[in-house]
Amino acid sequence: MNSALTELNLNAVLPALTMVIAAAVVILLDILNRKGKTPTLAWLPWVALVGVLATAGVSIWLLSQPVSSFQGMAVSDERAQALNLVVLTGAALAILLSVRYIPTVNLQTGEYYTLILLVSAGMMMMGAATDLMVVFLALETFSLGLYILAGLSRISRRSNEAAMKYFLLGAFASAFFVYGAAFVYGATGSTRFDLIAMRLFEGQADVALLAIGVTMLIAGFGFKVSLVPFHMWTPDVYQGSPTPVTAFMSIGTKAAAFAAFYRFFATALPTEQPTWGMALGILAVLTMTLGNLVALRQSSLKRLLAYSSIAHAGYLLVGLATATPAGIDAALYYLIAYAFMNMGAFAVVILLERQGEMDATGNRLKGLAKRHPQVALLMSIFMFSLAGVPPFAGFFAKFFVFAAAVQGGYSWLAAVAMLNSAIGAWYYLRIVVDMYFAEPSEETRIEAQRTSIPVAMTLGIAAVFTVALGVLPWLWTGLVQSGAVTTLALR
Amino acid sequence: MVPTSYYLILSAIIFTIGAVGVLSRRNALIIIMCVEMMLNSVNLTLIAFAMQWNNLNGQVFVFMVMAVAAAEVAVGLAILIAHFHLSKTTNIDDVNLMKW
């Protein structure tokens, strides 16, 4: 134990650490430059963006040097860094979307960007954690930040309501999560994933206690990624929160919670795979089916995207349930593809919003192609990709996940998932049909003050990567060096 | 010595009271108090298990839970006050602009 200090390798937490430093710089710049009631610095978002890009650089640098440290409580490996890149993509695009948006809902932009960076740091720790204690702390770090971000617009009753619902249900869910963690500790005498697996293997674990604990952990994780029995908060919180926050939330929480979810099951309970694989499979079926069916009859675009995100959580869970390396790599590819296409869709929602409203109805898309052909074209790319139409990234994401499910012996799950993507295609393609074949009404217009260079940049980046990752999937798989997906694609 | 199971049963009872409170009470403040009660029952569970396994992991975990619970209350009360400013109520049945 004396050598414990020398064994600390900060590389295991370096990306999160960089992010926290960036957050400190942002809040300090904000405080030092604040005079009386004048609005905060206009260039603050760009400082935050530099912080995100620096962290991305650190993550890419760490890709090739796996390390486990803090006495086995945190690791840095390819999957952790791949998750970091998904979270950072979400954070960077959310910051771009916020440049013009946030000053319209809340003047305190310094706090906003600090919170975005701190929340990202918490999400990145989720992927690096190999101990239930660290998972719990990371989970709370990003959740507490997101509760505040959801209620950012203090003059909007909907935003307040979203924060309130998210907080009360979230706190309730984390109590279950930590009670579950306590039971897992009670059953095995450790919170470290590898020691849990060892005790289980040696037959020293109390299996009944472990089963109760793991069930509660699934409920806690399921709440964060909005799996079906625990999804009630999702549409309201997505609708009420400021749109850039919703966009960030939909990508970041999913990526973070799935990463920790997977690492816990694969490292701590590898021997019980048939049991939890089946449980996750059933949850995936419920989640996809309900998400897609309810999305069919939504008029608010943000609620539609909320139910669509529930459905996508189901598809992702298919990849995790198989628990094969191919399934996990497919899920990671799915996450990065989803990050770009979903960000793009939310950027279009921002364009369609009106001052002080933070939501848009589907009617505003009717005949959009006649008034704003470029926006309609970009929206079609995102919708085709979300629906899973080739050659966009969304198609290959679904293809890899379903292929991994079939190979992993979950053919029934792949069949249900395919059926579900057919239902899902209906409401995504209906948007495209509305844009191109309906007559424009007086509602169909984009107000000039909604458009700005950063929003255009987000749309451009999202569209380019949605196409590029679809046409050239190795751009991503080559980066994370796993090889499993690429071989799948060549087969 | 008191057997571990006594502590576990007590903490399970407290946790259940807290959970039932969250689901049945309509005042947001009382719901926050019920969540705190659930977290404290978890602390009791952790300490009991730490005693049973004779290691310190559980006791360290309790400190983490306490710190998180404090942060959670700070954020929760702030949200509650912001909400009260606009709507003048702490009753969650009135939090219904959007359908649940």
Side-chain angles (χ1 to χ4, degrees):
Chain A
M1 287 305 274
N2 287 335
S3 58
L5 268 182
T6 55
E7 280 168 18
L8 290 191
N9 187 338
L10 283 182
N11 279 359
V13 295
L14 199 56
L17 209 57
T18 320
M19 209 57 157
V20 172
I21 293 171
V25 169
V26 169
I27 194 88
L28 274 176
L29 282 175
D30 179 50
I31 293 169
L32 293 177
N33 286 286
R34 193 180 282 178
K35 293 190 188 78
K37 283 192 171 179
T38 49
T40 34
L41 299 167
W43 42 267
L44 214 52
W46 306 105
V47 178
L49 197 62
V50 169
V52 172
L53 293 179
T55 314
V58 170
S59 278
I60 291 173
W61 175 64
L62 284 172
L63 265 173
S64 52
Q65 30 186 325
V67 57
S68 167
S69 189
F70 294 92
Q71 286 151 41
M73 291 175 109
V75 293
S76 153
D77 58 9
E78 281 148 17
R79 295 213 170 104
Q81 300 313 333
L83 163 87
N84 287 355
L85 291 177
V86 174
V87 170
L88 292 168
T89 304
L93 295 181
I95 289 173
L96 281 178
L97 287 180
S98 311
V99 174
R100 283 283 282 280
Y101 192 94
I102 291 306
T104 65
V105 297
N106 189 322
L107 278 180
Q108 272 128 8
T109 49
E111 283 90 329
Y112 172 77
Y113 293 110
T114 312
L115 278 171
I116 288 271
L117 297 183
L118 288 176
V119 166
S120 312
M123 287 169 174
M124 293 195 292
M125 277 313 293
M126 288 285 277
T130 48
D131 186 299
L132 279 175
M133 217 184 297
V134 182
V135 173
F136 173 63
L137 287 177
L139 187 84
E140 288 299 310
T141 308
F142 83 72
S143 300
L144 290 177
L146 282 178
Y147 302 149
I148 304 174
L149 288 175
L152 192 79
S153 174
R154 280 186 296 182
I155 46 167
S156 154
R157 286 192 63 171
R158 287 192 166 199
S159 181
N160 266 297
E161 199 176 300
M164 187 85 156
K165 283 175 181 170
Y166 196 17
F167 170 75
L168 289 177
L169 292 175
F172 190 52
S174 29
F176 274 96
F177 179 87
V178 71
Y179 201 38
F183 274 117
V184 171
Y185 168 65
T188 59
S190 178
T191 48
R192 242 174 72 181
F193 294 174
D194 51 343
L195 291 182
I196 293 173
M198 206 177 77
R199 294 270 157 73
L200 202 60
F201 184 70
E202 288 167 353
Q204 292 176 350
D206 184 333
V207 180
L209 269 185
L210 191 70
I212 301 175
V214 171
T215 311
M216 288 192 183
L217 285 180
I218 292 182
F221 276 127
F223 175 85
K224 291 296 164 200
V225 287
S226 49
L227 299 184
V228 147
F230 323 104
H231 69 287
M232 294 84 75
W233 59 278
T234 316
D236 289 352
V237 173
Y238 276 35
Q239 190 183 14
S241 307
T243 312
V245 175
T246 311
F248 177 52
M249 199 189 307
S250 68
I251 290 149
T253 40
K254 246 185 217 66
F258 271 123
F261 213 18
Y262 163 70
R263 209 186 279 282
F264 173 70
F265 280 116
T267 329
L269 309 169
T271 48
E272 312 295 315
Q273 198 275 332
T275 320
W276 56 259
M278 182 55 79
L280 296 190
I282 291 167
L283 280 178
V285 169
L286 288 175
T287 308
M288 291 184 289
T289 313
L290 188 125
N292 277 323
L293 287 180
V294 185
L296 287 175
R297 44 187 305 273
Q298 296 302 317
S299 56
S300 150
L301 282 178
K302 272 166 94 178
R303 282 186 94 85
L304 182 124
L305 286 172
Y307 282 107
S308 122
S309 96
I310 295 176
H312 283 281
Y315 301 133
L316 272 162
L317 202 58
V318 172
L320 293 204
T322 62
T324 55
I328 302 314
D329 286 321
L332 272 174
Y333 178 82
Y334 202 114
L335 279 170
I336 190 76
Y338 182 71
F340 283 113
M341 59 202 186
N342 211 37
M343 269 294 171
F346 274 109
V348 174
V349 174
I350 285 182
L351 287 178
L352 291 168
E353 285 175 14
R354 309 277 187 263
Q355 187 63 35
E357 194 188 49
M358 304 205 302
D359 196 8
T361 57
N363 284 339
R364 289 187 194 158
L365 284 166
K366 289 217 166 92
L368 193 71
K370 296 208 173 65
R371 302 247 169 104
H372 301 278
Q374 306 93 330
V375 177
L377 179 68
L378 290 170
M379 187 65 167
S380 317
I381 292 179
F382 303 134
M383 288 299 126
F384 279 131
S385 184
L386 282 167
V389 175
F392 301 108
F395 167 75
F396 287 98
K398 284 205 175 75
F399 173 71
F400 292 149
V401 167
F402 298 169
V406 172
Q407 284 180 337
Y410 285 83
S411 304
W412 61 275
L413 201 51
V416 176
M418 270 179 236
L419 204 64
N420 259 292
S421 32
I423 306 175
W426 168 258
Y427 57 86
Y428 296 124
L429 298 187
R430 195 180 54 192
I431 289 182
V432 178
V433 171
D434 271 355
M435 285 193 302
Y436 280 92
F437 298 107
E439 281 307 308
S441 65
E442 69 269 27
E443 271 197 88
T444 314
R445 67 191 146 82
I446 293 174
E447 289 177 349
Q449 75 259 31
R450 311 295 315 177
T451 53
S452 65
I453 293 169
V455 172
M457 278 166 71
T458 316
L459 280 170
I461 295 171
V464 165
F465 277 94
T466 305
V467 177
L469 285 174
V471 182
L472 313 162
W474 51 264
L475 274 182
W476 171 252
T477 50
L479 184 68
V480 298
Q481 291 175 346
S482 49
V485 178
T486 13
T487 43
L488 240 181
L490 294 174
R491 208 164 278 160
Chain B
M1 201 175 98
V2 186
T4 313
S5 59
Y6 286 27
Y7 293 105
L8 295 183
I9 292 167
L10 175 66
S11 67
I13 292 171
I14 301 177
F15 189 87
T16 314
I17 295 174
V20 171
V22 171
L23 297 173
S24 63
R25 301 303 290 258
R26 307 268 55 105
N27 185 324
L29 266 176
I30 294 185
I31 293 179
I32 293 177
M33 284 160 65
C34 288
V35 170
E36 289 306 301
M37 201 154 87
M38 292 166 78
L39 289 176
N40 279 324
S41 80
V42 172
N43 286 348
L44 190 59
T45 314
L46 282 167
I47 297 214
F49 281 134
M51 193 178 70
Q52 188 196 0
W53 284 97
N54 203 17
N55 67 26
L56 286 176
N57 282 18
Q59 306 213 14
V60 175
F61 206 154
V62 168
F63 285 117
M64 304 298 171
V65 175
M66 280 176 174
V68 165
E72 206 166 66
V73 165
V75 170
L77 289 180
I79 289 173
L80 189 65
I81 290 171
H83 186 261
F84 187 77
H85 267 298
L86 280 186
S87 56
K88 304 291 173 216
T89 174
T90 56
N91 188 329
I92 56 155
D93 283 336
D94 299 331
V95 184
N96 57 4
L97 273 181
M98 297 170 286
K99 42 200 165 170
W100 274 87

